[in-house]
Amino acid sequence: MVSEISQVVPQSPSKTEAPKDVILEVKNLKKYFPIIGSLNNKISQVQAVNDVSFCLFRGETYGLVGESGCGKSTTGRTILRLLEPTEGEVIYQGKDINKLKGNNLRNIRRELQMVFQDPYSSLNPRKRIGAILEETLKIHKLGNKKERTEQVMNILNKVGFQKEHYYRFPHEFSGGQRQRIGLARALIINPSVIICDEPVSALDVSIQSQVLNLLEDIQEDFNLTYLFISHDLGVVRHISDRIGVMYLGKLVEESPTDELYANPLHPYTKALLSAIPVANPFVKREKIKLIGELPSPVNPPKGCVFHTRCPFATDICKQAEPVLKTIDNGHKVACHLY
Ligand code: SF4
């Protein structure tokens, strides 16, 4: 099923030159969730993220795409240790985040922030926005009362609010404004990396464009690196320098954005791209239909995890798992066809 993937945002001028300084590296990350039986024993496990490796270059936007349930959000949360990883490393500034504790972990968390799909649920309805944002500074023991207020005013201004918004309550803001508050809360402690988890999925198309443009402006001003998680290939194309495609907990393809859309290699990526509606009614694109449902991550298929739905599957696909290998110029694919 690929119907969830849709194109809603106009294509931006292409970004081609990604900086090459690695700021964060994910190595063989795994996140399994145990399934507990009636006797309180572990009877099985959900393999949500299964041996995923990629890196983020400083100042770039890396888009992570795939169907719902492919493990992309779990990957983002596990990188920040909002979920404890089962295995693997996340290297930031030479340190493995998964080994940090106490103050060391707290200090790193200042550098790595997250913006969620719906920030409203995490905004205290009884507090004014100014107080909510100041709380973040208090938690990290930053500044005195006057400095904190100034900093909040400054950040609110950066994300397009006026002074009076400082005194408003969360319910007085629209969906797009709340997303800007979520962004302000992430920005206020001056992070280097922001993980954006479906940040525009719940917004109207026109508001999506505003928030995406704001993300791009702020990225330049604050020298930020984004991991942008989305099921929407149209949105991801608009904002990303490189894209990683996930399927059933695995990274199956990775490429610079323009290259991926011009020359997708993995059969799954081809199917996803073929499902994007074309704006020109005279241009017809052949749709590749994926047959069958997404297999369960409790019991993923042996060999290539995509073989149960792949139109090109052969015997070797059912037996041997393909490794992610570089084909050309940063374009990697995990498929026996290459
Ligand atoms: Fe299809 Fe085989 Fe490639 Fe997997 S390895 S995507 S099953 S051709």
Side-chain angles (χ1 to χ4, degrees):
M1 293 239 303
V2 294
S3 55
E4 234 188 305
I5 311 293
S6 62
Q7 188 174 33
V8 293
V9 175
Q11 187 184 331
S12 72
S14 62
K15 298 176 171 187
T16 46
E17 300 230 337
K20 294 296 177 198
D21 172 20
V22 173
I23 187 166
L24 186 134
E25 193 174 3
V26 177
K27 285 186 181 172
N28 309 105
L29 192 66
K30 290 185 184 175
K31 177 62 193 174
Y32 295 170
F33 296 97
I35 298 174
I36 306 298
S38 53
L39 298 173
N40 215 16
N41 54 336
K42 184 178 145 189
I43 52 173
S44 189
Q45 56 191 0
V46 177
Q47 300 177 28
V49 179
N50 201 352
D51 208 4
V52 166
S53 301
F54 62 94
C55 67
L56 303 183
F57 296 129
R58 191 181 296 277
E60 77 164 344
T61 300
Y62 186 101
L64 202 54
V65 297
E67 289 168 282
S68 296
C70 71
K72 54 193 188 304
S73 290
T74 306
T75 301
R77 284 158 205 242
T78 311
I79 288 172
L80 290 192
R81 274 183 69 189
L82 300 179
L83 295 168
E84 281 301 319
T86 306
E87 251 181 76
E89 296 175 12
V90 178
I91 311 289
Y92 177 75
Q93 291 188 339
K95 289 179 195 146
D96 183 0
I97 298 175
N98 296 344
K99 293 198 175 120
L100 297 180
K101 289 183 185 155
N103 277 343
N104 290 336
L105 181 58
R106 205 166 305 126
N107 290 340
I108 286 274
R109 284 218 165 111
R110 273 178 55 184
E111 303 275 328
L112 309 168
Q113 286 290 301
M114 190 146 188
V115 172
F116 297 93
Q117 180 177 352
D118 177 18
Y120 188 53
S121 53
S122 61
L123 300 174
N124 186 338
R126 294 200 191 96
K127 287 196 166 175
R128 294 175 199 276
I129 288 304
I132 290 173
L133 293 177
E134 279 184 36
E135 213 161 76
T136 309
L137 292 172
K138 260 193 222 168
I139 289 167
H140 289 279
K141 299 187 173 71
L142 296 171
N144 56 33
K145 172 78 184 119
K146 186 168 171 270
E147 287 164 346
R148 287 198 290 265
T149 306
E150 271 171 21
Q151 173 71 345
V152 170
M153 290 285 191
N154 188 22
I155 286 293
L156 283 174
N157 183 264
K158 283 272 180 207
V159 297
F161 289 119
Q162 315 295 324
K163 258 188 181 174
E164 60 264 27
H165 290 104
Y166 179 98
Y167 302 99
R168 292 198 185 158
F169 290 96
H171 72 268
E172 295 179 82
F173 292 88
S174 66
Q177 287 177 322
R178 284 177 202 149
Q179 199 49 279
R180 284 196 270 144
I181 292 167
L183 192 53
R185 190 160 56 175
L187 282 176
I188 201 159
I189 48 175
N190 202 18
S192 300
V193 177
I194 298 186
I195 297 179
C196 305
D197 187 8
E198 302 272 9
V200 296
S201 303
L203 305 176
D204 290 343
V205 175
S206 60
I207 308 296
Q208 285 191 0
S209 301
Q210 287 174 20
V211 173
L212 290 173
N213 290 339
L214 178 65
L215 280 167
E216 287 182 319
D217 292 345
I218 279 172
Q219 182 171 36
E220 230 173 282
D221 292 353
F222 287 76
N223 193 21
L224 291 167
T225 305
Y226 291 142
L227 175 62
F228 192 94
I229 297 165
S230 177
H231 67 270
D232 192 323
L233 280 162
V235 168
V236 169
R237 181 180 196 176
H238 177 85
I239 199 162
S240 305
D241 297 289
R242 292 188 303 140
I243 293 178
V245 182
M246 280 189 77
Y247 181 81
L248 209 63
K250 301 263 183 197
L251 194 68
V252 295
E253 186 162 4
E254 182 188 87
S255 167
T257 302
D258 291 344
E259 164 69 12
L260 187 84
Y261 283 78
N263 183 29
L265 297 178
H266 198 281
Y268 177 61
T269 314
K270 287 181 183 176
L272 288 184
L273 294 181
S274 78
I276 297 178
V278 184
N280 185 343
F282 300 106
V283 174
K284 288 230 157 121
R285 184 191 282 153
E286 199 190 331
K287 266 196 176 180
I288 302 171
K289 278 194 184 160
L290 294 182
I291 298 160
E293 292 297 318
L294 189 70
S296 167
V298 175
N299 192 15
K302 285 207 174 95
C304 171
V305 283
F306 188 56
H307 85 253
T308 54
R309 300 168 85 191
C310 180
F312 308 104
T314 57
D315 280 348
I316 189 174
C317 306
K318 296 173 191 162
Q319 287 150 19
E321 186 184 338
V323 293
L324 193 70
K325 58 183 165 212
T326 303
I327 303 299
D328 189 25
N329 219 3
H331 197 160
K332 301 177 186 175
V333 67
C335 173
H336 290 306
L337 293 176
Y338 303 93

